[in-house]
Each structure stands twice: as structure tokens, then as C-alpha cells.
């Protein structure tokens, strides 16, 4: 049996942990630049607020219903997620962190244990130790555990164990689009063949499913039948690419500001590469204007690096070359980013034959010095806050920075934001 533990309304729950006055009130959390709704409390859902609704469309509702509005605080949410996952790891030796607010737990070998009671213990412990409410769904496969978690939330009990004898009864009441992995397009297609519920799909002929939809859909049918086809990923698979991208708080029109923004994104990407002990051999920088203001402009520039690296100075040099190629005078850029590809372990680096030497030092010695410098920069920024040490091209006045006028303090990761009682 597998359990899916899902944090309820996670972003909103994180805000409520440190501000209990928000309990019982409608609360929404906004996307980058305070654009759209990305999280809602149950009270906000009851008012009919939909995911992705632009905030300007909710001004009247916010005033009428006194909806509490918060900017995204991803630093806080990421730290709270880590705390929840650490608590969950104490309940089973095998756990897969599926997303920032979800984890699969392996209950193999728990025969004879009351899994409903165990699920309630998990809920109570996570709530007591972190303040975050969770729901627990248990099933024979990942797909069934997902559906059980959905039932747990709807029932109000917070825990649902989908025993084999109950599976068909539950599947009969579940629409196709509510199945994990079935989108709107697949649902419409399946309905055209008379398959309208999860039970219909479970009982579909496998040869027909394979012929029409391929092996991925066959695996899903097997999952609904209780045959596991999606094992737990206990080891995070190696990254194939890494991207850092942001929308600007206000449009960027000058080359200097665009360089400063992309330099900041490159520095962030380089920090992530070093954390994962990876090097990049190909880098793409890109920028675009708004789709809703004037003629749309979007362009990218790809740079192949002579030697795969995660060192910020080398990446910045390539990125600035790319910015020169994609910049267009007169364009008001609204978004930009950098994509790192060709990722390889940093221990396996093929040196360039004509790599430059500085003074009497060899290329290898130069790279080791630069590596030590970057480790020092990372350590200082980790201790004193991101951006404490930065490259001059990033600038200190950043008019393009994200708007987050309603962001709560970073209670758990910043000394200045410690909660005062």
C-alpha cells in the first residue's frame, strides 16, 4: 500500500501558521508580480474565486468580503515544505517527495496495522510539529492513493484508505478529468467512446486502449486495477536542464537594465548548478515583451561554452554575449530568463586544449581558484542573505525586480523576520 500525503491549501496554510487570525477568513495568495491567484483558502473557494483569476478582477470582491491578499513568499513556503517532509520521513523508511506540498509514503510491510489510525497519527503529528494541515490517501498504487487523497479531503475526515473491495464503488463516482494524468483533451476523447468514469476506464479493454492511446494509458489502467506501474522514485533523477526565469515588476527598455536582470538570473542558476554539483555546456538567454501591449517580441540566443562549467564569471561572459544578440532598441521587455542545458557532473570536466593561462598558473589551477572563490561567495550569501555578495553587472538599483507589496516576513529563514511575541 502507498500513501499520498498532501498539504491542504499549502501556501495559505503557511501564512496561517504565523498569523492565526487568518483562520476562518477568505485568503488568497498571488503569483509573481502580484498578478493572479495561485492559492485559495476554503473560504475563498466558497466565494467562487477561481485559480488563475487576475487580481484586478477581484477588487470589488476583496472589498466586499474582506479577502486577505498575500504576495507569494516562496522562501517561507520552501522551508515549511522541508520541515513537513522531514516529519513524514519518520513514518516510513521509503518516501518520495513528489512536489512542494505532496509526498508518497511506502507502507509495504505494514500488514496488520490500522492504516486509518496511522494516517490520523500522521496528520496530528504534522499539524502539531509544523502547523500545516494535511490529508492522507492510501491505495495499492500511486493513482489509487491520489484518488483516495481526493476522497479524504471531500469527506472531511482527512484520511481515506482505499481497500480493494471499495475501489470499484469509489471509481464509479469519479469523473475522468479527476484522474491523475487525464487532462481535458483525453477526457473528451474517452467520452466519445462511452468511457465516462474512472470505473469505465478501469474496465476498458487493454488492447483497445493500447491501440488508441499508447502504453502510458495502459499503465494508468493497470494502476486503476491495483497493479503498480509507477514505483517510488527514492533517488531524485539527475536534472537534464535548469531554468531561472522571471517577469519584471516594470518593463525594461535599456540594454544595461536587461543585462543586469539576466546577470542576476545567471548568478542564481550558477548557484543552483553548484548546489547540485553540475556543470552546463550550453546556455540560452531569452527575453520577451508583453503579449498584451503593442507588438509582441520574443527572442533567444544560445551560447555553447568552450568548457562545461558552473562558475558564475564564465557563465556571465557567455550570457552577456547572448544579451547583445537578442536586445532590440525600442522594445519594452516584460520577461527574461536563462536556460542551462547539457548538464554533466562537475567531477567529469573535459578541459579545452587551448584553455587560457593566467600568469604562470595552469588552466586547472585557475579553475580550482575560481571554484574556491565561488564556494566562499555561496557560503557568505547563505549566511547573510542572497545578494550580500554579487557581481557588479547585476547592479544594486533594480527597477525590474518583482513586485511583492503584500509579502509576509520570512519567519523561518531570516533573523530580521523572526516572529515577536
Amino acid at each position: 500500500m502507498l500513501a499520498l500525503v498532501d498539504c491542504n491549501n499549502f501556501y495559505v496554510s503557511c501564512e496561517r501558521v504565523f498569523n492565526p487570525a487568518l483562520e476562518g477568513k477568505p485568503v488568497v495568495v498571488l503569483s509573481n508580480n502580484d498578478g493572479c491567484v495561485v492559492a485559495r483558502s476554503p473560504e475563498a473557494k466558497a466565494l467562487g474565486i477561481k485559480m488563475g483569476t487576475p487580481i484586478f478582477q477581484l477588487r470589488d470582491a476583496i472589498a466586499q468580503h474582506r479577502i486577505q491578499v498575500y504576495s507569494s513568499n516562496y522562501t517561507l513556503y520552501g522551508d515549511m515544505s522541508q520541515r513537513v517532509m522531514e516529519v513524514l520521513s519518520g513514518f516510513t523508511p521509503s518516501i518520495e517527495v513528489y512536489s512542494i506540498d505532496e509526498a508518497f509514503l511506502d507502507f509495504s510491510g505494514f500488514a496488520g496495522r490500522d492504516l486509518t489510525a496511522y494516517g490520523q497519527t500522521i496528520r496530528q503529528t504534522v499539524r502539531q510539529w509544523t502547523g500545516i494541515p494535511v490529508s492522507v490517501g492510501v491505495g495499492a498504487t500511486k493513482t489509487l492513493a491520489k484518488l483516495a487523497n481526493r476522497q479524504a479531503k471531500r469527506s472531511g475526515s482527512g484520511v481515506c484508505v482505499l481497500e480493494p473491495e471499495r475501489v470499484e464503488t469509489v471509481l464509479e463516482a469519479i469523473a475522468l478529468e479527476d484522474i491523475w494524468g487525464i487532462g481535458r483533451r483525453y477526457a473528451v476523447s474517452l467520452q466519445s467512446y462511452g468511457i465516462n468514469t474512472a470505473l469505465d476506464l478501469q474496465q476498458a479493454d487493454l488492447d483497445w486502449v493500447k491501440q488508441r492511446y499508447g502504453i502510458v494509458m495502459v499503465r494508468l489502467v493497470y494502476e486503476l486495477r491495483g497493479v503498480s506501474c509507477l514505483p517510488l522514485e527514492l533517488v531524485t533523477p539527475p536534472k537534464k536542464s535548469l531554468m531561472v526565469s522571471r517577469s519584471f515588476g516594470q518593463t525594461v527598455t535599456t540594454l544595461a537594465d536587461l543585462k543586469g536582470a539576466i546577470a542576476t538570473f545567471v548568478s542564481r542558476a550558477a548557484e543552483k548548478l553548484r548546489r547540485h554539483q553540475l556543470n552546463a555546456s550550453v546556455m540560452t538567454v531569452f527575453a520577451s515583451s508583453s503579449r498584451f501591449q503593442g507588438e509582441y517580441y520574443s527572442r533567444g540566443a544560445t551560447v555553447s561554452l568552450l568548457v562545461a562549467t558552473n562558475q558564475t564569471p564564465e557563465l556571465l561572459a557567455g550570457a552577456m554575449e547572448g544579451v547583445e544578440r537578442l536586445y532590440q532598441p525600442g522594445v519594452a521587455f516584460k520577461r527574461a530568463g536563462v536556460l542551462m542545458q547539457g548538464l554533466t557532473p562537475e567531477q567529469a570536466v573535459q578541459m579545452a586544449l587551448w584553455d587560457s593561462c593566467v600568469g604562470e598558473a595552469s588552466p586547472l589551477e585557475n579553475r580550482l581558484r575560481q571554484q574556491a572563490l565561488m564556494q566562499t561567495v555561496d557560503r557568505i550569501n547563505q549566511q547573510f542573505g542572497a545578494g550580500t555578495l554579487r557581481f557588479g553587472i547585476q547592479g544594486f538599483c533594480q527597477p525590474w525586480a518583482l513586485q511583492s507589496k503584500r509579502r509576509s516576513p520570512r519567519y523561518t529563514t531570516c533573523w530580521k523576520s523572526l516572529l515577536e511575541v
Side-chain angles (χ1 to χ4, degrees):
M1 300 291 277
L2 298 173
L4 175 67
V5 181
D6 185 10
C7 300
N8 301 338
N9 313 300
F10 181 58
Y11 292 174
V12 171
S13 295
C14 289
E15 300 291 350
R16 284 176 166 174
V17 169
F18 299 95
N19 187 358
L22 296 176
E23 291 287 350
K25 296 181 180 179
V27 182
V28 297
V29 177
L30 305 179
S31 62
N32 289 336
N33 286 318
D34 297 343
C36 304
V37 174
V38 295
R40 307 157 294 161
S41 69
E43 296 80 8
K45 295 177 183 178
L47 295 175
I49 297 176
K50 306 295 184 183
M51 284 286 285
T53 304
I55 188 62
F56 70 84
Q57 294 183 5
L58 298 175
R59 289 171 182 166
D60 293 340
I62 290 172
Q64 179 181 355
H65 301 287
R66 297 183 180 180
I67 300 172
Q68 305 298 306
V69 182
Y70 285 85
S71 303
S72 295
N73 190 346
Y74 296 118
T75 303
L76 174 66
Y77 307 153
D79 185 70
M80 293 298 292
S81 172
Q82 183 177 354
R83 292 167 186 248
V84 171
M85 301 309 167
E86 287 177 354
V87 175
L88 294 178
S89 65
F91 287 94
T92 177
S94 302
I95 178 174
E96 175 192 336
V97 178
Y98 181 68
S99 67
I100 192 172
D101 62 345
E102 293 177 292
F104 286 103
L105 280 61
D106 187 359
F107 281 174
S108 300
F110 283 43
R113 183 185 291 270
D114 185 343
L115 295 182
T116 300
Y118 198 57
Q120 291 293 353
T121 300
I122 291 174
R123 295 185 70 237
Q124 293 165 5
T125 304
V126 173
R127 186 63 183 264
Q128 181 180 354
W129 291 6
T130 68
I132 301 295
V134 300
S135 297
V136 181
V138 183
T141 66
K142 281 186 173 180
T143 303
L144 291 177
K146 271 272 191 180
L147 295 177
N149 188 280
R150 180 176 177 274
Q151 293 296 109
K153 290 182 177 180
R154 292 200 166 191
S155 67
S157 64
V159 177
C160 175
V161 179
L162 207 53
E163 301 289 357
E165 59 271 16
R166 293 183 54 216
V167 170
E168 290 192 4
T169 302
V170 172
L171 294 185
E172 190 175 12
I174 294 177
L176 287 174
E177 53 266 28
D178 293 327
I179 303 174
W180 184 38
I182 297 290
R184 174 69 180 167
R185 185 176 175 183
Y186 273 134
V188 172
S189 176
L190 287 165
Q191 287 167 356
S192 68
Y193 294 105
I195 299 176
N196 300 301
T197 68
L199 181 61
D200 294 337
L201 182 59
Q202 184 214 45
Q203 297 177 347
D205 180 73
L206 287 176
D207 291 335
W208 178 85
V209 171
K210 183 177 181 180
Q211 181 181 3
R212 288 285 179 180
Y213 299 101
I215 192 64
V216 174
M217 187 69 76
V218 171
R219 289 174 185 156
L220 179 57
V221 173
Y222 271 121
E223 286 265 319
L224 292 173
R225 294 180 179 182
V227 180
S228 180
C229 297
L230 303 172
L232 291 187
E233 294 184 359
L234 303 180
V235 178
T236 304
K239 288 180 175 291
K240 296 182 179 179
S241 63
L242 189 153
M243 184 170 70
V244 176
S245 175
R246 298 285 187 276
S247 295
F248 298 142
Q250 63 183 53
T251 55
V252 169
T253 57
T254 68
L255 178 60
D257 282 343
L258 186 60
K259 282 186 173 182
I262 290 183
T264 300
F265 303 154
V266 169
S267 296
R268 177 62 177 149
E271 180 185 337
K272 289 185 175 183
L273 287 172
R274 292 192 291 271
R275 185 189 310 154
H276 294 289
Q277 298 182 332
L278 295 171
N279 285 333
S281 58
V282 179
M283 173 175 52
T284 299
V285 293
F286 54 90
S288 61
S289 63
S290 172
R291 294 180 181 272
F292 309 103
Q293 296 178 353
E295 184 179 354
Y296 180 64
Y297 177 90
S298 178
R299 183 174 295 180
T302 299
V303 179
S304 295
L305 303 169
L306 187 63
V307 177
T309 183
N310 58 20
Q311 306 303 304
T312 307
E314 296 180 16
L315 294 171
L316 282 176
M320 295 306 101
E321 174 190 332
V323 175
E324 295 278 359
R325 286 156 48 187
L326 64 83
Y327 175 74
Q328 184 70 31
V331 174
F333 292 96
K334 184 61 178 176
R335 185 180 185 86
V338 58
L339 174 66
M340 301 294 181
Q341 295 174 293
L343 304 187
T344 57
E346 66 178 1
Q347 295 84 3
V349 177
Q350 177 64 53
M351 304 296 288
L353 180 61
W354 306 113
D355 210 348
S356 61
C357 296
V358 178
E360 298 180 356
S362 68
L364 179 59
E365 289 173 332
N366 289 331
R367 293 191 180 280
L368 291 176
R369 288 177 179 176
Q370 195 170 86
Q371 184 178 3
L373 172 62
M374 291 296 96
Q375 289 174 349
T376 302
V377 170
D378 291 343
R379 192 162 53 247
I380 291 174
N381 285 338
Q382 184 177 10
Q383 181 175 355
F384 296 101
T388 301
L389 287 182
R390 69 179 78 181
F391 286 81
I393 197 169
Q394 295 177 239
F396 286 92
C397 178
Q398 299 177 331
W400 47 266
L402 287 177
Q403 294 183 11
S404 53
K405 298 177 180 179
R406 301 179 175 91
R407 190 177 68 186
S408 56
R410 294 168 291 168
Y411 296 105
T412 62
T413 60
C414 178
W415 289 111
K416 295 180 181 179
S417 298
L418 284 178
L419 189 65
E420 295 182 0
V421 180

